[in-house]
Amino acid sequence: MAGELDAARAQYWVDRWDRQQEFYMPDREQRFEVIGDILAELLGRADPLIVDLGVGPGTLSARLLNRLPHARIVGVDADPLLLGLADATLGGDRFRTVKADLREPNWFDTLKLDRAPDAFVSTTALHWMNREPLRALIETCAAALPTGGLFLDGDHLYEGVHAPRLDALAKALTAHRARRTATAANEDWAAWWDAVDRAPELAELVRLRAGGFEHKVHDRPSVRDYLAFATAAGFAEAGTVWQYGDDRIVVAIR
């Protein structure tokens, strides 16, 4: 019925989100697969507790819940609309969401976990953070994890001032890939949000969102910063394990 958000309609918007994200990341599904492979390879237990940082509408969590049938996931995000879509499509015994801003110092306490997490994961979310909030986030993750615990981030990550020509090449490779796979013709971020604003079944979530969030990144971390922050925070190893163009996965092992 118009004006009501049921699970099927929420899934429609999540599927549409997937397509608009592929406008920017033509190999997004492979990135999800690799993150699942890493967790399956390195997690030390069959029933892991995973925290999805910047969970959005739950697209990474959905893949991981299928890949790891005994996992539990807590998704944290500041956007009530995206959290509403995640709850409507995934909510249950194995998945729950928490509204919190990862840039605030007390975000981890709001999760109210029943034990130490085995992994923190994230995709296409942490690039909205400046260097110092990211450093603090990684330090919090390191302190919460047991030995062998994991921090994984898949995102647009760059060399920054160290290698501007390599960064330009990485962006160009992603653009070439998007044209070959036809994802360059997909709906983009602005068009998705414009459609959301007009959808009657999302009106209450749009109201809760109150116009959205302004993301201003004035001190963007480089991929080198991610790895340096992880090492300084106490992770035993940190490195890039997958890349295509400007799309990378970095992993840190406690």
Side-chain angles (χ1 to χ4, degrees), residues 1 3 19 36 58 60 79 87 92 104 114-115 144 148 183 201 213 216 220 225 241 245:
M1 181 184 300
R19 302 293 78 76
L60 171 60
D79 191 322
D87 286 331
E104 296 297 326
D114 58 12
R115 66 175 179 83
T183 59
E201 70 271 25
F213 304 91
K216 289 186 177 180
R220 188 179 302 281
D225 288 326
V241 298

Side-chain angles (χ1 to χ4, degrees), residues 13 22 24 32 38-39 62 66 83 85-86 93 98 108 154-155 157 196 217 222 229 244:
W13 286 106
E22 288 175 349
Y24 306 97
F32 286 147
I38 294 165
L39 293 172
N66 285 331
L83 289 174
L85 292 175
D93 294 341
V98 176
F108 181 76
D155 212 332
L157 296 174
V196 163
V217 182
S222 70
F229 294 165
Y244 191 99

Side-chain angles (χ1 to χ4, degrees), residues 68-89:
L68 305 167
H70 302 294
R72 289 185 296 139
I73 300 179
V74 177
V76 55
D77 206 293
D79 191 322
L81 188 145
L82 298 180
L83 289 174
L85 292 175
D87 286 331
T89 55

Side-chain angles (χ1 to χ4, degrees), residues 130-153:
N130 288 304
R131 290 178 75 253
E132 287 310 310
L134 178 70
R135 184 200 300 272
L137 175 85
I138 292 175
E139 289 174 349
T140 297
C141 292
L145 288 167
T147 300
L150 305 173
F151 173 89
L152 286 74
D153 182 46

Side-chain angles (χ1 to χ4, degrees), residues 28 42 44 62 66-67 79 87 91 110 113 121 128 133 135 153 162 193 234 249:
R28 184 167 174 263
L42 295 181
N66 285 331
R67 179 68 186 273
D79 191 322
D87 286 331
T110 69
L113 302 181
V121 300
W128 292 114
R135 184 200 300 272
D153 182 46
H162 303 289
W193 282 107
I249 297 173

Side-chain angles (χ1 to χ4, degrees), residues 55-195:
V55 66
T59 48
L60 171 60
S61 286
R63 274 74 170 178
L64 296 182
L65 289 168
N66 285 331
R67 179 68 186 273
L68 305 167
H70 302 294
R72 289 185 296 139
I73 300 179
V74 177
V76 55
D77 206 293
D79 191 322
L81 188 145
L82 298 180
L83 289 174
L85 292 175
D87 286 331
T89 55
L90 297 176
D93 294 341
R94 298 175 57 214
F95 178 83
R96 65 178 175 89
T97 62
V98 176
K99 184 177 182 296
D101 190 331
L102 296 173
R103 296 167 293 191
E104 296 297 326
N106 67 336
W107 67 267
F108 181 76
D109 295 334
T110 69
L111 304 184
K112 300 188 183 308
L113 302 181
D114 58 12
R115 66 175 179 83
D118 301 288
F120 291 92
V121 300
S122 186
T123 54
T124 327
L126 301 186
H127 66 271
W128 292 114
M129 300 185 75
N130 288 304
R131 290 178 75 253
E132 287 310 310
L134 178 70
R135 184 200 300 272
L137 175 85
I138 292 175
E139 289 174 349
T140 297
C141 292
L145 288 167
T147 300
L150 305 173
F151 173 89
L152 286 74
D153 182 46
D155 212 332
H156 298 288
L157 296 174
Y158 300 101
E159 299 289 342
V161 297
H162 303 289
R165 288 177 294 178
L166 287 179
D167 282 345
L169 173 61
K171 292 177 182 179
L173 291 175
T174 296
H176 287 309
R177 178 71 171 155
R179 286 191 290 271
R180 285 196 298 272
T181 59
T183 59
N186 287 13
E187 177 179 52
D188 66 7
W189 170 270
W192 189 86
W193 282 107
D194 286 344

Side-chain angles (χ1 to χ4, degrees), residues 217-230:
V217 182
H218 56 80
D219 188 18
R220 188 179 302 281
S222 70
V223 67
R224 300 186 187 197
D225 288 326
Y226 276 78
L227 303 181
F229 294 165

